Amino acid sequence: MSPISQENTDVSAAIDAELQLMDPAVRASRSLAARLLDPEYVEVGASGRRWTYEEMLAALPDLDGGSGSGEGDGDGPRFEPSGMGGVVLAPGIVHLTYETDFGGRRARRSSLWRRRDGETGWRMYYHQATPVPTAAE
């Protein structure tokens, strides 16, 4: 596979994994979410709160975009992503950027995904969300 084809494959795989993390059924399942988050995961949320791997896995079912009930019914509001794209920063590291709308609240998002040697799946290593003011474009 050519280097460009591999980069496209890696970016596509990271995008697929990012979209899985927005799925209420995945957010409600600790085991499904754990497969997508790196054990060294850190997030700085739109609220400014810093989250660790364990904190996120514990809270994810009840956070915005999940079912809200902790039962994974998927009936709650969902994140609507747009403009998602990515670049390979180094072998095994993909940087994604995009925006989300969640009930009229917009955020610009940035995620780092990594795949360690010997692993087949991509895991989110870092995520940051920055709120977009209502009047901003």
Side-chain angles (χ1 to χ4, degrees), residues 68-137:
S69 66
E71 297 173 8
D73 58 21
D75 289 338
R78 295 184 69 147
F79 287 99
E80 296 296 330
S82 63
M84 192 175 287
V87 296
V88 173
L89 298 178
I93 305 287
V94 171
H95 180 219
L96 299 181
T97 56
Y98 61 102
E99 287 193 15
T100 55
D101 185 298
F102 183 81
R105 293 182 318 209
R106 290 177 42 218
R108 292 189 176 107
R109 298 180 178 271
S110 177
S111 299
L112 290 175
W113 288 82
R114 80 175 169 184
R115 185 181 63 211
R116 293 184 179 187
D117 288 341
E119 292 184 355
T120 57
W122 288 88
R123 292 179 175 227
M124 185 184 285
Y125 175 74
Y126 179 80
H127 183 78
Q128 182 157 354
T130 303
V132 177
T134 305
E137 291 192 25

Side-chain angles (χ1 to χ4, degrees), residues 24 27-29 51 55-72 102:
R27 295 171 73 83
S29 168
W51 298 84
E55 290 168 336
M56 184 55 70
L57 287 178
L60 198 55
D62 294 317
L63 292 177
D64 285 348
S67 66
S69 66
E71 297 173 8
F102 183 81

